[in-house]
Amino acid sequence: MTSIGGAASSGLVDWNLAVATATRLVRPGPEASRDEARAVVAELRRHAKSSEAHVRGFTRLGTEDIHDTPVLVVDRPGWIRANVAGFREVLKPLLDKMQERRGGTPGGAVLGTVGGKVTGVELGMLLSFLASRVLGQYETFAPATRDLPAGRNGGGRLLLVAPNIVHVERELDVRPHDFRLWVCLHEETHRTQFSAVPWLRDHLEGEIQSFLAETDVDPMTVLERIREAAQSLAGGRPEAEEDDGGRSFVDLVQTPAQREILGRLTAVMSLLEGHADFVMDGVGPDVVPTVAEIREKFQQRRAKGASRLDMALRKLLGLDAKLRQYRDGERFVRAVVDQVGMDGFNRVWTSPNTLPTKAEIAKPADWIARVHRKPES
């Protein structure tokens, strides 16, 4: 097994154990012959390539740095390895801080080792659940590993999870060629966003690190959230608790500063996800003949979710908030483009100051008034 970074087994999370657990527990993908699997991978790569021109033409976001971001077609274990590496990178400052705090308590080192293994197993259980649901993902903070390259100049990587795409296209009973291109258009939009807007990655990283720096919780509180989610997955929580979905990780927000940062992050993520949905549907009619059918069936699938267990986990992990981001962000983008056109909308990418606030996502006219107001003479 490939080690995830240097001291991957130390600290509060045994990252290697998380990978091993998730890989062992993840469900197998849909049945396909070797030739069928190779054909899917080849087609996704072609669609990813063709999506570049479609997205750039529609959004008018030109970039010369897009090829610094590799496109990887992966299976479920590949998605797991990539995400563990990304989590470890982003959470390192917080986990180091928590480890110092734990180390100062009696028996802290021993507890840390044992707790790290327990948390590694439980995190692995969560990742095994998510690994069968994600269709594609632009990894903004992606350290390169031996088998998972990343951008040379700080760029991320774009992941397309082939077995999940095949599973959903079969479940929805839509044309595979059209659905695969439709998914690629969404993910390529994220790749274009970060390639065309050089400051965006650093801005997001700064916000996330500021949020984590404000976090001052006992390590066991964080581990408890992971444990609750893992117990939901294993069916170990009482039925009454499943009804309300448990507590979200967002409940760890404590300070006014954290709430302010979280509001800004929510607005940015709503913008990015809504923009991607708007683009995939805007480009769709010209290159995806069945886009209306795909969108209708996919929205129904998003809305209904799966079992009560699935809904409980979605709430605990904050996935319900992500679904709202798609919806609210797409409404914002559509309203702005309708009012000021694509070039007028693209002023959103000028600087962090022109990003919409959380309130403006809900009221696009307020963003237009702020960003497009005429200077006083």
Side-chain angles (χ1 to χ4, degrees):
M1 179 181 66
T2 302
S3 176
I4 305 299
S9 298
S10 63
L12 291 167
V13 181
D14 187 329
W15 298 104
N16 282 339
L17 187 55
V19 171
T21 301
T23 302
R24 185 176 70 252
L25 295 179
V26 71
R27 291 182 296 181
E31 290 186 10
S33 68
R34 181 169 297 183
D35 287 344
E36 287 173 326
R38 285 174 177 165
V40 170
V41 171
E43 185 173 25
L44 286 172
R45 285 177 176 153
R46 288 196 303 272
H47 284 331
K49 179 65 178 175
S50 66
S51 293
E52 292 178 20
H54 294 313
V55 170
R56 292 174 68 173
F58 183 81
T59 63
R60 302 178 193 171
L61 290 175
T63 172
E64 299 303 320
D65 297 327
I66 198 163
H67 297 293
D68 183 46
T69 307
V71 178
L72 307 177
V73 181
V74 298
D75 57 9
R76 290 170 178 173
W79 181 88
I80 290 166
R81 291 193 299 273
N83 275 265
V84 167
F87 287 157
R88 187 169 186 265
E89 184 81 3
V90 172
L91 294 177
K92 186 177 186 302
L94 174 63
L95 292 177
D96 286 349
K97 177 180 173 182
M98 292 167 64
Q99 183 69 22
E100 282 181 22
R101 184 169 176 175
R102 168 66 69 82
T105 61
V110 174
L111 287 172
T113 301
V114 174
K117 292 188 178 301
V118 172
T119 307
V121 170
E122 291 173 339
L123 180 59
M125 293 172 67
L126 292 181
L127 287 169
S128 71
F129 170 83
L130 294 172
S132 62
R133 284 159 172 76
V134 177
L135 303 182
Q137 175 184 352
Y138 180 82
E139 279 202 298
T140 315
F141 312 107
T145 64
R146 187 172 62 189
D147 55 345
L148 290 165
R152 297 182 301 277
N153 301 315
R157 58 182 165 229
L158 192 151
L159 306 178
L160 297 169
V161 191
N164 296 351
I165 292 172
V166 171
H167 171 77
V168 174
E169 70 192 25
R170 291 178 181 176
E171 179 185 308
L172 298 182
D173 190 25
V174 292
R175 286 179 57 183
H177 172 87
D178 288 4
F179 184 74
R180 294 167 194 175
L181 177 55
W182 189 71
V183 171
C184 287
L185 288 169
H186 182 102
E187 302 307 332
E188 180 59 36
T189 302
H190 288 317
R191 185 170 176 240
T192 297
Q193 289 164 345
F194 284 91
S195 300
V197 186
W199 54 264
L200 186 57
R201 180 188 183 278
D202 289 342
H203 172 70
L204 266 182
E205 183 175 26
E207 292 280 55
I208 291 169
Q209 293 307 326
S210 295
F211 179 86
L212 294 179
E214 285 283 330
T215 300
D216 186 24
V217 296
D218 182 82
M220 291 309 296
T221 305
V222 177
L223 302 187
E224 181 187 351
R225 293 295 190 277
I226 297 175
R227 189 161 296 118
E228 286 177 356
Q231 288 172 351
S232 289
L233 187 59
R237 297 179 63 223
E239 187 172 300
E241 291 186 29
E242 285 186 2
D243 287 337
D244 64 13
R247 294 171 290 178
S248 167
F249 281 99
V250 176
D251 291 340
L252 293 175
V253 175
Q254 296 172 307
T255 69
Q258 279 186 308
R259 286 191 288 272
E260 187 176 325
I261 296 168
L262 185 62
R264 293 197 299 266
L265 282 169
T266 299
V268 174
M269 297 312 297
S270 296
L271 171 70
L272 298 179
E273 296 294 356
H275 184 232
D277 264 13
F278 178 78
V279 171
M280 73 197 294
D281 287 344
V283 173
D286 290 332
V287 298
V288 182
T290 59
V291 65
E293 176 193 356
I294 290 172
R295 165 57 77 187
E296 181 181 0
K297 289 183 175 180
F298 196 74
Q299 289 286 60
Q300 290 173 355
R301 182 179 185 272
R302 268 184 185 170
K304 71 180 181 182
S307 62
R308 290 172 59 210
L309 172 60
D310 191 40
M311 289 188 286
L313 273 167
R314 275 166 46 179
K315 181 174 180 181
L316 184 63
L317 298 172
L319 299 183
D320 280 345
K322 186 173 179 64
L323 295 180
R324 288 194 298 274
Q325 288 169 6
Y326 284 109
R327 184 183 64 243
D328 297 344
E330 196 272 343
R331 274 202 214 107
F332 170 84
V333 176
R334 185 173 301 281
V336 172
V337 172
D338 284 347
Q339 289 293 313
V340 297
M342 186 63 75
D343 290 336
F345 166 78
N346 280 341
R347 289 181 65 174
V348 78
W349 311 117
T350 304
S351 75
N353 292 330
T354 56
L355 291 171
T357 64
K358 188 176 179 182
E360 288 170 342
I361 287 287
K363 295 184 177 180
D366 290 353
W367 179 86
I368 294 172
R370 176 172 67 86
V371 174
H372 286 267
R373 66 178 174 227
K374 294 180 180 178
E376 297 179 6
S377 55

